[in-house]
Amino acid sequence: MMESDLMESEPVDCTKECSAADYSSVTIPLQQPFNRLVCIEYPCRIRNEKAMLETLGGEDGMSKTFADPSKRLELCFRPQDPYCHPVCGNRYTSMSLLLRVRRRIQKVNTEAKTESSEKIPTPTGQCHMEVLGFIGTTYKFQGLADFQYLAFQTSKEGKCTSLYDKIILQRPEKKEFFDQDLPLFIPPPLFSRLDNPTDYFYRPEIQHREGYTPPQLSSENLIGLSRARRPHNAIFVNFEDKEVPKEPMKAAVLKWKRLHGHTNDFKLEEAIKQMFDVRPIWSRNAVKANLDIHPDKLKLLLPFVAYYMLTGPWRSMWVRFGYDPRKDPKSKVYQVLDFRIRCGMKHGYTPGDIPVKAKRSAYDYKLPITVNKTGSQPASLQEFTQGPAAESFSGGRRPAPSRYRLKESVYIFREGTLPPYRQMFYQLCDLQVDSLQKIIHQNDTKEAECTERDGWCVPKTNDELRNIMSNMIMQVVRSKNSALLPGKKAHSSSKEGQESIDMESAEEDNGDEEEEFHPSDGSENEMETEILDFM
């Protein structure tokens, strides 16, 4: 149907009848207003409409997906199976019409046949066409559907037995249920990050000039031989090491001095040195909140003024060269507290009740159910060489606003506020609550030994701090949602002018409950991203 035909036709009727001879050209007038519909190209043959709707999450699930333009429509072929891997449909804008075509055929009495050889005339009829609505959105399933994992056990005879009734709780069970012997069933932690086949455009080996020497590669860098990792020359120290470095590596000094050419670079260097003179131990988030510096510059500047602690009570912290916190009891206030927001029914609220997002969502690793969004624009060369931290400009212009500085909430904890993320690394001096500071300083001037778990604090101090902080957060959550825990009065402890939750942080969420402490392991998983930045 041409668009001109729709525009020129008078909106009299939305139906049209025509004979078989008029099938080649038909004009159907539209009548306003018409229904707006959504089309779903279901990738299977539909025999049961109710079962089909269940695979798409029901009408409520489809409505929620349609309400968010960034969501992809999920299709689960086994909706009752929690291990079913969904197939995602992409959302497209369309301009289509839904037509209903009916053909009425005149019946012919086949019994009234003559003895002659005359052929029975072909039945003729009329077509009744009706425009049901306009389709503005279409969901198309274009991805692969073969990523599935079933819970079953195969016997020696080759018979498969389902394990769902043994591993999925249908009702509260006693201890005997969990003590029974079951075959090992470990579902994969993640599926493919892409659901569409991708073409690999192989290229020939790079031809270097004469005299080129390939970089030395370790066993950890076997992919991409033409692009070795660029080290930032940071020094890593474990709690068991006897000595601490007193000066940076020569390569770190040369790398910073090579970039150290602008006036703002001198100011940044002096500013971060003054920070470590006042406070010998800092987290990278705390530095970002007190210094407006480009992240690439910070990667070069931190190894120039401090070393990195891998394990112990100061793990994931940057320590000033020559300063050993294991020998100074005053360094107790700079110890790190790995705090994670506790969620669950036993705590009185679920993860959905807390307006705090995780640094890394599961959507980053599983099959993406949201469309890709445009990333942030990279910094220009002028921004990197000059930086927005300039204090004065020629011509008397006002300095540019801070672009890289984070808010204080990324490293400071206050009563009545929520952390920006569900897992945070706080230094004890940044817990600005009197009751918490009283627990931290309860053994001042009586510190006897620095241990890997508790440092200079009393044993189990971190556990006590976490319990008090969790209760404070629970009160904030209850005050924000009065529907939680009906029958109990919500006590609000939030202050006026509460800080807005900043969604920029360097920590990631690896769980909501505390994990068992292993002295030799430290917190390697939480620091993996930051460590790789400085290797």
Side-chain angles (χ1 to χ4, degrees):
M1 182 185 304
M2 301 297 292
E3 184 178 358
S4 59
D5 297 336
L6 297 177
M7 299 298 293
E8 296 176 359
S9 303
E10 297 182 0
V12 179
D13 190 9
C14 62
T15 61
K16 182 70 175 179
E17 294 185 3
C18 60
S19 60
D22 299 331
Y23 288 165
S24 60
S25 176
V26 179
T27 301
I28 304 178
L30 284 177
Q31 183 178 3
Q32 298 285 354
F34 47 83
N35 298 325
R36 293 186 176 271
L37 306 175
V38 177
C39 176
I40 300 177
E41 296 184 359
Y42 200 78
C44 300
R45 181 181 177 184
I46 301 176
R47 295 182 178 179
N48 189 330
E49 296 181 1
K50 183 178 180 180
M52 180 270 296
L53 292 177
E54 291 181 358
T55 60
L56 296 175
E59 295 183 1
D60 295 338
M62 290 187 293
S63 299
K64 292 180 180 179
T65 303
F66 177 75
D68 189 354
S70 64
K71 287 285 187 180
R72 304 173 73 194
L73 185 63
E74 294 186 58
L75 188 154
C76 294
F77 291 104
R78 305 183 309 278
Q80 306 301 329
D81 185 1
Y83 298 103
C84 179
H85 190 56
V87 182
C88 294
N90 297 321
R91 177 171 178 162
Y92 295 95
T93 302
S94 59
M95 298 182 62
S96 306
L97 297 176
L98 179 61
L99 298 178
R100 174 186 290 171
V101 181
R102 297 177 181 177
R103 182 184 178 187
R104 297 178 180 179
I105 302 177
Q106 184 179 2
K107 294 184 179 180
V108 178
N109 188 4
T110 58
E111 297 180 357
K113 295 182 179 179
T114 60
E115 295 181 355
S116 61
S117 60
E118 295 180 0
K119 295 183 180 180
I120 301 177
T122 303
T124 59
Q126 293 181 341
C127 288
H128 180 84
M129 290 181 290
E130 178 183 2
V131 179
L132 298 181
F134 169 74
I135 300 176
T137 302
T138 302
Y139 287 94
K140 299 180 180 180
F141 293 89
Q142 301 168 323
L144 302 176
D146 55 352
F147 295 106
Q148 301 296 329
Y149 198 83
L150 304 178
F152 65 91
Q153 179 186 11
T154 305
S155 61
K156 296 181 180 179
E157 295 78 12
K159 182 179 180 182
C160 298
T161 305
S162 176
L163 297 177
Y164 289 104
D165 56 341
K166 298 180 180 180
I167 62 177
I168 298 179
L169 292 177
Q170 302 293 343
R171 60 183 182 278
E173 298 288 350
K174 297 182 180 180
K175 182 177 179 299
E176 291 75 11
F177 177 84
F178 302 96
D179 294 338
Q180 60 180 339
D181 295 333
L182 291 177
L184 184 61
F185 171 70
I186 303 178
L190 54 93
F191 287 90
S192 174
R193 303 179 68 176
L194 301 175
D195 55 350
N196 289 327
T198 305
D199 293 331
Y200 290 92
F201 297 97
Y202 294 100
R203 293 175 296 179
E205 185 178 356
I206 299 176
Q207 301 295 330
H208 298 283
R209 297 179 180 177
E210 295 183 1
Y212 172 80
T213 302
Q216 296 180 358
L217 302 173
S218 63
S219 59
E220 299 179 355
N221 190 3
L222 299 179
I223 300 178
L225 301 181
S226 61
R227 172 62 169 88
R229 180 181 294 276
R230 297 176 182 177
H232 292 278
N233 307 299
I235 301 178
F236 301 99
V237 177
N238 291 301
F239 184 81
E240 298 83 3
D241 297 341
K242 296 181 179 180
E243 300 294 335
V244 298
K246 297 182 179 180
E247 58 183 11
M249 299 176 62
K250 294 183 179 180
V253 177
L254 295 176
K255 203 164 188 177
W256 171 249
K257 293 298 183 182
R258 186 171 56 186
L259 181 66
H260 193 279
H262 197 270
T263 306
N264 292 330
D265 296 334
F266 290 96
K267 296 180 180 179
L268 290 174
E269 180 180 340
E270 292 298 326
I272 197 169
K273 286 183 178 180
Q274 292 178 4
M275 291 174 58
F276 278 92
D277 290 339
V278 176
R279 175 170 162 177
I281 303 177
W282 289 86
S283 65
R284 186 165 68 163
N285 269 3
V287 174
K288 289 182 179 180
N290 289 272
L291 193 64
D292 189 21
I293 181 174
H294 193 280
D296 292 339
K297 279 188 178 181
L298 186 61
K299 289 182 181 181
L300 302 178
L301 190 55
L302 277 176
F304 177 72
V305 297
Y307 63 91
Y308 190 83
M309 289 290 291
L310 288 175
T311 58
W314 298 277
R315 60 187 181 275
S316 75
M317 297 290 119
W318 290 89
V319 186
R320 184 183 64 203
F321 283 115
Y323 181 76
D324 191 349
R326 300 168 298 182
K327 300 179 181 180
D328 185 9
K330 295 181 180 179
S331 63
K332 172 176 61 177
V333 296
Y334 306 125
Q335 294 179 191
V336 65
L337 174 67
D338 184 359
F339 176 75
R340 310 179 187 187
I341 296 181
R342 299 172 179 174
C343 304
M345 298 305 297
K346 66 178 182 179
H347 300 295
Y349 51 85
T350 60
D353 300 325
I354 304 178
V356 179
K357 293 184 178 180
K359 175 61 180 177
R360 293 187 176 180
S361 174
Y363 295 154
D364 296 336
Y365 302 98
K366 296 181 180 179
L367 181 65
I369 63 171
T370 57
V371 296
N372 294 330
K373 298 181 180 180
T374 57
S376 58
Q377 296 294 333
S380 62
L381 180 62
Q382 181 179 4
E383 293 173 349
F384 184 75
T385 55
Q386 297 181 2
E391 298 179 358
S392 61
F393 291 83
S394 60
R397 292 188 299 174
R398 297 179 60 184
S402 300
R403 291 191 58 187
Y404 310 109
R405 179 176 296 178
L406 304 182
K407 294 186 178 180
E408 291 184 347
S409 59
V410 299
Y411 79 101
I412 294 179
F413 178 82
R414 294 186 176 91
E415 187 177 2
T417 60
L418 289 177
Y421 284 95
R422 297 183 184 179
Q423 181 182 16
M424 299 292 297
F425 290 90
Y426 293 111
Q427 289 181 265
L428 299 185
C429 60
D430 295 327
L431 304 179
Q432 298 183 3
V433 181
D434 295 339
S435 59
L436 300 178
Q437 291 297 324
K438 184 177 180 180
I439 297 175
I440 297 171
H441 295 281
Q442 59 181 325
N443 67 330
D444 284 355
T445 68
K446 299 179 182 179
E447 299 89 347
E449 182 184 2
C450 179
T451 61
E452 185 174 358
R453 176 186 174 95
D454 301 299
W456 295 104
C457 295
V458 177
K460 302 294 183 179
T461 297
N462 289 348
D463 297 336
E464 190 174 356
L465 295 175
R466 293 190 186 100
N467 293 334
I468 297 177
M469 295 170 63
S470 298
N471 292 333
M472 292 180 180
I473 291 178
M474 185 183 300
Q475 293 180 2
V476 176
V477 173
R478 288 176 177 175
S479 64
K480 290 181 177 294
N481 189 356
S482 59
L484 291 177
L485 294 179
K488 294 186 178 181
K489 205 171 182 180
H491 300 278
S492 174
S493 59
S494 59
K495 299 179 180 179
E496 295 183 359
Q498 174 183 349
E499 288 185 285
S500 60
I501 299 177
D502 183 15
M503 304 314 296
E504 297 184 59
S505 178
E507 286 81 20
E508 62 186 24
D509 185 13
N510 290 331
D512 297 322
E513 299 293 338
E514 293 81 1
E515 298 176 354
E516 184 180 358
F517 179 80
H518 300 283
S520 60
D521 295 341
S523 296
E524 182 178 357
N525 293 336
E526 293 86 349
M527 301 183 297
E528 182 178 358
T529 302
E530 187 170 359
I531 291 175
L532 291 177
D533 287 341
F534 293 91
M535 289 185 61

